[in-house]
Amino acid sequence: GENVEQHPSTLSVQEGDSAVIKCTYSDSASNYFPWYKQELGKRPQLIIDIRSNVGEKKDQRIAVTLNKTAKHFSLHITETQPEDSAVYFCAASKGGKLIFGQGTELSVKP
Amino acid sequence: GAVVSQHPSRVICKSGTSVKIECRSLDFQATTMFWYRQFPKKSLMLMATSNEGSKATYEQGVEKDKFLINHASLTLSTLTVTSAHPEDSSFYICSARQEVDTEAFFGQGTRLTVV
């Protein structure tokens, strides 16, 4: 079955710096890759997603890149702000299942 | 975005009893619902995937007879933890989506404590 590995588990950056979170997946048939943000005490919320027929997608300060050959995808947050502090999850989906990575706790220091 | 409502948000039960958790999609028809167990501060472990009108597909290591999942309608899925034990204490969270490989929306989660 699908396995998603996410790194790093924790990430601390200064406000204004960029943050990068990386994920790898095992099933080459996976074709949908969402990223979720979970703030403390709240439910996960989708922040960006990408499909296997696209290599990169950007939404304001957030971008995701996908390398199908290497089976890895990354989340890039530029100009980080304290409100970006949260746990971020990557996920991979093939047909029915949605499998999540282990999560990255991002801390943005003012 | 769409709304998924999960109840109860917290439940305390005695060891040996059963607990039912409901997950409802309020404004869309959820063809697929997922049940996860979330460990402190981190990972979402997929327990099972349920499609409306069919049996749930359980992940390896998840006991089907202990975690009963029913997805009887396009807006409701239930997870029943049977004969609960202290080690079942955890945060359980559902998510639902309307179509394959589209955004999945999460419920607010249920904190289960078995005493």
Side-chain angles (χ1 to χ4, degrees), chain B residues 32-80:
Chain B
T32 304
M33 287 188 171
F34 304 98
W35 287 95
Y36 295 89
R37 186 168 177 175
Q38 187 170 29
F39 297 94
K41 297 189 79 176
K42 292 282 180 90
S43 75
L44 293 155
M45 185 192 80
L46 180 65
M47 298 175 66
T49 302
S50 73
N51 294 293
E52 185 265 339
S54 60
K55 289 184 178 180
T57 302
Y58 290 81
E59 293 301 296
Q60 192 171 9
V62 178
E63 298 177 57
K64 299 179 183 181
D65 295 333
K66 181 164 192 60
F67 300 99
L68 300 178
I69 292 171
N70 183 279
H71 190 167
S73 78
L74 283 170
T75 59
L76 174 65
S77 177
T78 60
L79 167 67
T80 301

Side-chain angles (χ1 to χ4, degrees), chain A residues 4-11 19-25 34-35 63-67 71-77 88-91 100-105:
Chain A
V4 180
E5 296 287 332
Q6 183 173 346
H7 299 280
S9 57
T10 60
L11 180 60
V20 180
I21 302 170
K22 298 182 179 182
C23 290
T24 60
Y25 59 99
W35 286 87
V64 58
T65 58
L66 171 65
N67 183 325
K71 291 188 285 187
H72 66 68
F73 55 115
S74 301
L75 177 71
H76 304 253
I77 306 174
Y88 291 80
F89 294 97
C90 63
F100 283 83
Q102 297 88 339
T104 296
E105 187 172 7

Side-chain angles (χ1 to χ4, degrees), chain A residues 40-106:
Chain A
L40 191 62
K42 296 189 177 181
R43 71 190 77 189
Q45 300 266 13
L46 182 76
I47 54 171
I48 195 167
D49 56 13
I50 193 167
R51 298 184 187 280
S52 59
N53 59 347
V54 176
E56 184 173 356
K57 185 176 179 180
K58 189 173 182 180
D59 182 4
Q60 299 182 3
R61 296 187 297 110
I62 294 173
V64 58
T65 58
L66 171 65
N67 183 325
K68 286 173 54 182
T69 304
K71 291 188 285 187
H72 66 68
F73 55 115
S74 301
L75 177 71
H76 304 253
I77 306 174
T78 58
E79 300 172 30
T80 54
Q81 301 164 4
E83 50 265 38
D84 293 330
S85 296
V87 179
Y88 291 80
F89 294 97
C90 63
S93 176
K94 181 195 74 171
K97 292 186 183 181
L98 185 61
I99 303 295
F100 283 83
Q102 297 88 339
T104 296
E105 187 172 7
L106 174 63

Side-chain angles (χ1 to χ4, degrees), chain B:
Chain B
V3 178
V4 174
S5 179
Q6 185 175 341
H7 292 281
S9 57
R10 292 179 182 273
V11 59
I12 300 173
C13 71
K14 291 185 177 180
S15 187
T17 62
S18 296
V19 173
K20 180 184 282 188
I21 302 168
E22 290 190 350
C23 181
R24 292 180 184 272
S25 56
L26 299 186
D27 51 4
F28 68 101
Q29 293 185 325
T31 55
T32 304
M33 287 188 171
F34 304 98
W35 287 95
Y36 295 89
R37 186 168 177 175
Q38 187 170 29
F39 297 94
K41 297 189 79 176
K42 292 282 180 90
S43 75
L44 293 155
M45 185 192 80
L46 180 65
M47 298 175 66
T49 302
S50 73
N51 294 293
E52 185 265 339
S54 60
K55 289 184 178 180
T57 302
Y58 290 81
E59 293 301 296
Q60 192 171 9
V62 178
E63 298 177 57
K64 299 179 183 181
D65 295 333
K66 181 164 192 60
F67 300 99
L68 300 178
I69 292 171
N70 183 279
H71 190 167
S73 78
L74 283 170
T75 59
L76 174 65
S77 177
T78 60
L79 167 67
T80 301
V81 183
T82 62
S83 187
H85 291 289
E87 57 265 32
D88 298 325
S89 298
S90 192
F91 189 71
Y92 295 89
I93 191 165
C94 70
S95 70
R97 66 183 184 194
Q98 190 168 17
E99 296 178 16
V100 171
D101 295 341
T102 61
E103 180 176 358
F105 300 93
F106 280 85
Q108 58 267 61
T110 297
R111 171 69 59 191
L112 170 64
T113 303
V114 184
V115 297

